[in-house]
Amino acid sequence: MSGMPSSVLDLASVVPVVVVEDAADAVPLARALVAGGLPAIEVTLRTPAALDAIRAVAAEVPDAVVGAGTVIAPEQVGECVAAGARFLVSPGWTDALLTAMRASGVPFLPGVSTTSEVVALLERGVREMKFFPAQAAGGTAYLKSLAGPLPQARFCPTGGIGPATAPEYLSLPNVGCVGGSWMVPADAVAAGDWARVEELARAAAGLRDAGGTCR
């Protein structure tokens, strides 16, 4: 994939949320996900290896669209983009963080879990958001209730979503994609079982059809 995506929500129906403990795993992991049909990969900034992992995937897996997740401080934005991140995801937002993400030149998903946060972002011209933690914050019932008064907001729900619940999220009109980590189980990554990751990714990529959407 070449060029900068205009929207994170339209890259893929499922975005793997990846915690990389060892940067050496990043490239084979990304290749397995891409082969399984999941090109958009969110590498979370939860480990010291995260920036090196983003750098490696950006350099060596051209068909992947690698992004940075768990972006919580304005200074992280520049570091992530310099490493090659092509989108940014935060679990929540502040005006300072939003300003930095907006200035980055790459698409971003600020995190929300309340109606007031959604309204505040819409007021600031942001229509695409991460809904986090999805299951704990009310799940599909909550998102359905937001669609009536706030139809212009679109979401990538993440947090506690698995293959059994993803199709219901994907069937909602205000959901563009879902994020999850079930296709990158820690034991498979630790064992270097990339075939299993690819198989799980392929099943996840097929959930779009199960959800009844046409994105």
Side-chain angles (χ1 to χ4, degrees):
M1 289 194 176
S2 59
M4 195 62 65
S6 59
S7 166
V8 183
L9 298 185
D10 296 325
L11 286 171
S13 55
V14 177
V15 178
V17 179
V18 178
V19 179
V20 179
E21 301 288 350
D22 182 348
D25 290 333
V27 167
L29 176 59
R31 285 180 175 149
L33 291 169
V34 169
L38 300 180
I41 302 167
E42 175 187 332
V43 177
T44 73
L45 300 183
R46 299 181 196 179
T47 69
L51 285 174
D52 284 338
I54 291 169
R55 205 171 282 115
V57 174
E60 298 182 47
V61 192
D63 290 333
V65 181
V66 65
T70 323
V71 178
I72 57 172
E75 58 269 20
Q76 291 176 319
V77 171
E79 294 173 346
C80 292
V81 175
R86 291 165 67 187
F87 63 90
L88 305 167
V89 184
S90 69
W93 65 278
T94 64
D95 276 317
L97 182 57
L98 193 66
T99 297
M101 291 196 294
R102 202 194 289 271
S104 71
V106 304
F108 56 91
L109 291 176
V112 297
S113 61
T114 69
T115 308
S116 293
E117 289 172 312
V118 177
V119 172
L121 283 176
L122 290 173
E123 188 179 90
R124 289 159 173 79
V126 177
R127 295 188 170 198
E128 300 189 344
M129 312 166 195
K130 171 176 175 165
F131 179 55
F132 176 84
Q135 289 288 93
T140 54
Y142 195 95
L143 287 170
K144 283 177 187 173
S145 68
L146 289 180
L150 302 169
Q152 63 273 54
R154 292 178 71 214
F155 301 95
C156 174
T158 304
I161 298 174
T165 52
E168 186 179 357
Y169 280 97
L170 290 169
S171 71
L172 300 178
N174 56 350
V175 169
C177 62
V178 299
S181 55
W182 73 87
M183 74 298 293
V184 284
D187 59 339
V189 176
D193 190 350
W194 310 124
R196 183 176 166 213
V197 171
E198 181 179 340
E199 181 183 341
L200 290 167
R202 187 169 288 111
L207 291 174
R208 171 189 312 202
D209 300 326
T213 75
C214 57
R215 294 193 196 287

